[in-house]
Amino acid sequence: MQLGMVGLGRMGANIVRRLIRAGHSCVVHDANAAPGKALAAEGARNAESLAGLVEALAAPRAVWVMLPAGAVTEAMIAELADLLSPGDIIIDGGNSFWKDDIRRAGVLAERGLSYLDVGTSGGVWGLERGYCLMIGGDRAAVTRLDPIFSALAPGRGDIPATRHRDDRAGTAEQGYLHCGPSGAGHYVKMIHNGIEYGMMQAFAEGFDILNNAGSARLPAEQRFDLDLAEIAEVWRRGSVVTSWLLDLTAEALAEDGALSGFSGHVDDSGEGRWTVEAAIEQATPAEVLTSALYTRFRSRQDHTFAEKVLSAMRKGFGGHQEPKKPA
């Protein structure tokens, strides 16, 4: 199957590589010429302009936009809409706000274009592990692109089947899901990231307590000189808190137990805020997720070992780098 990809950053480029490996054809474009040329050497077709990308695709076309949420994505979708034809599909695989998806889908539908919002989780590891996909939009468009989603998803792998699912059919066990109409995909991904904030914060606070177990503020007989890397490793083996986030934490601590390469400045990318806003709109309590978000705000003023753990996890799964300090 053929797909256009606009935006060849950490995830966009690897999505293309995974599709090429699965036998799909990709036409790519990025404002920076270098990644497109690199992918051309790996089997993609590089388009120097957006118009060139659309021209290189056979109708009906499907174009995946993988750019930062907000004005950049908004402008790109508007530009694409002017170049595409009725029956074509635009996919936003970034972390856009779900209410924007509902608006865009309505506007594009008036022009005969389908719009899919695809929450994409997998970070820099998605090329090898596959991407968990949460999809919103018209079912017919989702079905048409099923070969693309199936190739990107991780598949069942060696994860044991969930009990009591015998009467359930669908693609969730393959790692991708049509969640509902426009906006539903990014809504589910938003909550996913809100939960991620809370899970990361729990690990960060726990390791901060362990790190301070030898503090001089404690009575001498109650101090422990704990090896955090070894604790993280033993927890990976049969513990109920075993997870990919713990794996990444263990790796970071094994490399440098003090996490000295991290300042503890932790950014938030929007989904945590939107999750809290959704909770407020519903009057649904979300104490843990709200607290995790506020901790990220505080980290930009006062850093602790806990924030260094957060930074290490973010770098591990998403390649997120701490912002450089102003000169």
Side-chain angles (χ1 to χ4, degrees):
M1 194 169 189
Q2 192 182 47
L3 181 77
M5 176 64 73
V6 178
L8 305 174
R10 287 192 301 260
M11 292 184 68
N14 278 346
I15 286 174
V16 170
R17 291 187 175 98
R18 187 168 174 90
L19 289 174
I20 291 173
R21 290 182 183 181
H24 295 285
S25 172
C26 293
V27 182
V28 302
H29 172 70
D30 192 278
N32 177 2
K37 291 179 179 178
L39 286 169
E42 299 177 42
R45 179 173 175 178
N46 184 36
E48 295 183 358
S49 67
L50 198 61
L53 177 138
V54 172
E55 185 178 346
L57 294 170
R61 306 169 187 85
V63 181
W64 186 306
V65 177
M66 202 67 178
L67 295 170
V72 175
T73 292
E74 192 75 36
M76 181 57 66
I77 290 174
E79 189 175 352
L80 268 174
D82 289 337
L83 295 169
L84 294 174
S85 304
D88 293 345
I89 301 173
I90 296 176
I91 305 155
D92 179 5
N95 285 322
S96 290
F97 185 42
W98 61 278
K99 291 182 180 179
D100 289 337
D101 294 316
I102 296 173
R103 172 181 50 78
R104 288 176 192 156
V107 171
L108 293 173
E110 293 176 357
R111 305 178 68 166
L113 300 172
S114 294
Y115 174 82
L116 300 180
D117 51 287
V118 180
T120 307
S121 182
V124 295
W125 297 86
L127 175 60
E128 302 300 334
R129 292 170 58 111
Y131 298 91
C132 176
L133 303 174
M134 296 144 270
I135 308 163
D138 177 67
R139 182 173 294 278
V142 175
T143 300
R144 185 174 123 198
L145 293 181
D146 186 79
I148 295 293
F149 299 137
S150 178
L152 291 175
R156 283 187 171 86
D158 58 1
I159 297 175
T162 301
R163 292 186 300 164
H164 314 305
R165 285 187 56 87
D166 297 342
D167 60 344
R168 288 178 174 265
T171 60
E173 290 181 342
Q174 300 290 337
Y176 67 107
L177 178 67
H178 180 212
C179 299
S182 296
H186 279 151
Y187 189 93
V188 173
K189 177 59 161 53
M190 172 186 75
I191 302 303
H192 164 282
N193 283 26
I195 292 171
E196 177 187 293
Y197 278 34
M199 293 174 65
M200 292 173 68
Q201 187 62 32
F203 276 121
E205 291 178 9
F207 279 102
D208 200 15
I209 296 168
L210 293 171
N211 186 59
N212 290 322
S215 170
R217 296 190 298 270
L218 298 171
E221 69 277 8
Q222 295 179 17
R223 299 174 197 164
F224 298 109
D225 182 14
L226 301 173
D227 188 328
L228 303 194
E230 292 299 282
I231 292 169
E233 187 62 29
V234 76
W235 282 355
R236 294 183 63 225
R237 313 291 173 170
S239 162
V240 297
V241 298
T242 297
S243 67
W244 187 22
L245 291 175
L246 179 59
D247 294 345
L248 296 170
T249 304
E251 184 175 317
L253 289 169
E255 182 179 10
D256 174 12
L259 300 179
S260 55
F262 299 95
S263 71
H265 180 121
V266 186
D267 275 334
D268 67 288
S269 54
E271 299 92 329
R273 300 187 189 206
W274 300 336
T275 297
V276 172
E277 288 173 2
I280 292 170
E281 289 177 356
Q282 302 169 3
T284 298
E287 295 95 333
V288 171
L289 308 189
T290 303
S291 177
L293 174 65
Y294 286 168
T295 297
R296 293 195 176 198
F297 297 162
R298 184 189 54 74
S299 78
R300 298 160 208 175
Q301 302 171 0
D302 179 31
H303 310 315
T304 68
F305 186 79
E307 276 78 59
K308 292 185 178 184
V309 176
L310 286 177
S311 288
M313 282 188 276
R314 293 182 82 243
K315 182 180 180 182
F317 67 72
H320 300 286
Q321 302 290 337
E322 292 180 348
K324 294 181 179 179
K325 296 178 180 179

